[in-house]
Amino acid sequence: MVNDSQTGSRVPVVVYVCTAEDDAADLIAEHVQQYAHARDWPVVETVRDHDRLQPLDQRPGWARVLELTPDRARGIVTFSPPMLTADIAAFEALRRKVADQGHFLVATRTSGVRPRRTAADAARRRDLAAAASGWLLDAPHA
């Protein structure tokens, strides 16, 4: 759990969602809110923009996020980097900029980023699959 080091209180966050589809926005916002609540971060507001192609500094929702962060929210939680930036490098630069202002920015998903798997990972998955493959055959029948 992230706590405010000065007061020991929970760190309030603002949830940011950017998607054109209303149904998707509701589902994504719920997911991001659950992510925040699981970390004991109270959500002060959920903010939405509709157009990912619009530059971030021209989005009304992002302007609202910036209004909230100085006084009411210490963090910004979003679903994925593409909701804010064109690529992961730009997202990391934005994260540093937010951190320089004393806040934090996190994405619940890193869409488009595939986990790097090693040969040892592949061997471990094969061993687990082989070990699990016969367990139902050995179970007593009812």
Side-chain angles (χ1 to χ4, degrees):
M1 173 173 59
V2 174
N3 286 325
D4 187 322
S5 60
Q6 294 175 342
T7 65
S9 64
R10 298 178 302 156
V11 178
V13 297
V14 60
V15 166
Y16 178 79
V17 174
C18 186
T19 183
E21 298 179 27
D22 292 335
D23 292 342
D26 292 340
L27 290 172
I28 292 167
E30 183 178 332
H31 165 79
V32 177
Q33 289 166 358
Q34 288 175 1
Y35 179 94
H37 291 303
R39 283 148 183 82
D40 207 20
W41 298 338
V43 175
V44 297
E45 192 170 320
T46 298
V47 178
R48 177 178 174 205
D49 277 316
H50 298 282
D51 186 2
R52 289 185 191 193
L53 298 178
Q54 185 176 24
L56 190 60
D57 62 352
Q58 295 177 14
R59 297 180 194 176
W62 185 251
R64 177 67 181 151
V65 168
L66 296 179
E67 289 173 10
L68 292 168
T69 50
D71 300 320
R72 295 190 52 211
R74 294 284 312 276
I76 304 162
V77 185
T78 191
F79 180 70
S80 65
M83 289 203 166
L84 293 164
T85 60
D87 58 43
I88 203 73
F91 183 77
E92 290 303 323
L94 179 61
R95 186 189 308 234
R96 285 189 300 276
K97 181 178 177 181
V98 168
D100 289 345
Q101 296 170 0
H103 307 296
F104 66 92
L105 169 64
V106 296
T108 66
R109 304 276 178 176
T110 53
S111 76
V113 177
R114 301 179 108 185
R116 187 172 284 199
R117 293 206 164 75
T118 66
D121 293 333
R124 212 172 13 259
R125 284 194 307 276
R126 276 193 310 275
D127 291 345
L128 286 171
S133 66
W135 78 274
L136 284 177
L137 299 175
D138 298 334
H141 298 286

